[in-house]
């Protein structure tokens, strides 16, 4: 891919903004080697024949806890071996440059914090944490598949949000507040189809924010966005931050 062109009007708006929010999805971690949720289990061997949307549900876990636990164990190892990429680092840099910056992520990989982002809302939890499926208390997993809660014997599960489950208390309220209160809203690396997160770009645009999409592909967010930057987050986001805050 060639040099990324950033419109001057966008760079200027980002430079002047006092409040900025970003919504990220799995595309932002793609360049770290973490597969996106919907595309990239292709080529993953064993897991290729399973539909992620059918594994990430409480019903799947109730039906086959071993299968779901092992899918998450495989993904947890991928995440543990991954490193933040230039997209994560550009967003951490943006937080240092903007007076009030909120990073809203649907990702469960923890790579934003590892890149240095601090004001992070994890809407869908974190795959590196394990909880008791009955009590929701944090636990250290043992070797069984799935391991059992030492207190009540219920199977342990990843601390993530499955389809049909509520988001962590207060997370969506904080995300909505950031979306409604910001001057620039960046939407990067998400297909924009999973609610309630997918409603945030519209909320931001309707509250007067400049909506910017970063994605190599069109999404339902595209028609709402004032600026659409087609390309990989690891190339576009560093270019955007450098255009708004030129080094030196
Ligand atoms: C790149 C790139 C590069 C590639 N650079 N970009 C309203 C309407 C319709 C349905 C609903 C609705 N409200 C709720 C629902 C139901 C449901 C839902 O939204 N379903 C839709 C699928 C239709 N939502 C829920 O069930 C939610 N809960 C809920 O609403 O509860 C109500 C309730 C209230 C009170 C009590 C009880 C219940 C929960 C949703 C949880 C989602 N969880 C998952 C799994 C997390 C754990 C795990 O990882 O296993 O979250 S699903 C999955 O999708 C994961 C992701 O965070 C999420 C979003 O996916 P994402 O990140 O956008 O990834 P992809 O793969 O879809 O897209 C990647 C993008 O990157 C693509 O666009 C690429 O082009 C791009 N890309 N390379 C930049 N280098």
């Amino acid at each position: 891919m060639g040099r990324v062109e950033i419109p001057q009007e966008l760079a200027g708006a980002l430079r002047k903004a006092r409040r900025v929010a970003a919504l990220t999805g799995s595309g932002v971690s793609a360049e770290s080697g973490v597969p996106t949720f919907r595309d990239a289990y292709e080529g993953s061997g064993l897991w290729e024949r399973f539909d992620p949307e059918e594994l990430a549900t409480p019903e799947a876990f109730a039906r086959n806890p071993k299968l779901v636990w092992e899918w998450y164990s495989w993904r947890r190892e991928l995440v543990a071996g991954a490193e933040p990429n230039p997209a994560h680092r550009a967003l951490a840099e943006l937080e240092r440059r903007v007076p009030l910056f909120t990073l809203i992520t649907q990702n469960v990989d923890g790579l934003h914090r590892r890149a240095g982002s601090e004001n992070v809302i994890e809407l869908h939890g974190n795959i590196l944490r394990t909880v008791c499926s009955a009590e929701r208390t944090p636990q250290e997993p043992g070797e069984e598949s799935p391991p059992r809660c030492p207190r009540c014997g219920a199977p342990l599960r990843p601390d993530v949000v499955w389809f049909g489950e509520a988001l962590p208390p207060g997370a969506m309220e904080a995300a909505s507040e950031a979306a409604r209160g910001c001057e620039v809203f960046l939407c990067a690396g998400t297909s924009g189809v999973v609610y309630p997160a997918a409603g945030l770009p519209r909320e931001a645009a309707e509250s007067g924010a400049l909506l910017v999409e970063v994605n190599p592909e069109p999404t339902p967010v595209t028609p709402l966005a004032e600026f659409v930057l087609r390309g990989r987050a690891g190339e576009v986001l560093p270019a955007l931050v450098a255009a708004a805050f030129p080094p030196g």
Side-chain angles (χ1 to χ4, degrees):
M1 176 179 277
R3 218 166 66 84
V4 183
E5 291 296 333
I6 304 297
Q8 278 200 359
E9 193 193 333
L10 169 57
L14 192 55
R15 183 161 49 243
K16 282 195 239 107
R18 300 195 54 77
R19 286 175 299 179
V20 174
L23 172 67
T24 64
S26 59
V28 160
S29 294
E31 290 153 83
S32 294
V34 180
T36 63
F37 196 78
R38 281 171 184 77
D39 307 332
Y41 290 91
E42 293 145 24
S44 65
L46 176 63
W47 296 109
E48 188 161 27
R49 62 198 166 89
F50 294 97
D51 178 356
E53 294 212 17
E54 282 171 20
L55 290 173
T57 70
E59 293 77 19
F61 188 63
R63 221 173 19 244
N64 196 340
K66 181 171 156 61
L67 176 76
V68 173
W69 177 262
E70 286 176 0
W71 183 54
Y72 278 96
S73 297
W74 172 71
R75 291 178 54 206
R76 196 184 306 111
E77 275 182 31
L78 264 176
V79 163
E83 294 296 332
N85 68 52
H88 300 108
R89 288 196 288 275
L91 290 168
E93 173 65 12
L94 194 55
E95 180 171 349
R96 291 190 280 271
R97 301 294 192 143
V98 172
L100 189 55
F101 180 81
T102 308
L103 182 47
I104 307 160
T105 188
Q106 300 168 85
N107 297 347
V108 296
D109 56 30
L111 288 173
H112 284 300
R113 282 189 207 277
R114 281 177 54 200
S117 288
E118 288 178 6
N119 193 19
V120 181
I121 301 171
E122 288 180 324
L123 291 178
H124 295 162
N126 192 307
I127 199 172
L128 299 171
R129 292 192 303 257
T130 298
V131 292
C132 168
S133 60
E135 303 170 329
R136 278 278 170 176
T137 47
Q139 301 290 339
E140 282 304 320
E143 290 302 315
E144 290 160 279
S145 188
R148 299 264 156 195
C149 174
R151 271 172 46 90
C152 74
L156 302 186
R157 57 166 285 177
D159 191 11
V160 297
V161 181
W162 285 329
F163 286 113
E165 292 187 323
L167 274 54
M172 200 51 210
E173 292 73 4
S176 281
E177 197 181 313
R180 280 187 266 107
C182 68
E183 293 130 63
V184 178
F185 188 93
L186 306 176
C187 183
T190 177
S191 56
V193 296
V194 175
Y195 282 82
L200 291 168
R202 180 180 291 278
E203 258 189 81
E206 286 178 353
S207 305
L210 185 77
L211 178 59
V212 184
E213 178 175 62
V214 178
N215 199 310
E217 303 290 335
T219 77
V221 176
T222 307
L224 308 174
E226 205 142 333
F227 290 98
V228 176
L229 304 175
R230 286 271 168 260
R232 295 190 197 147
E235 290 166 357
V236 174
L237 287 171
L240 177 60
V241 174
F245 303 98

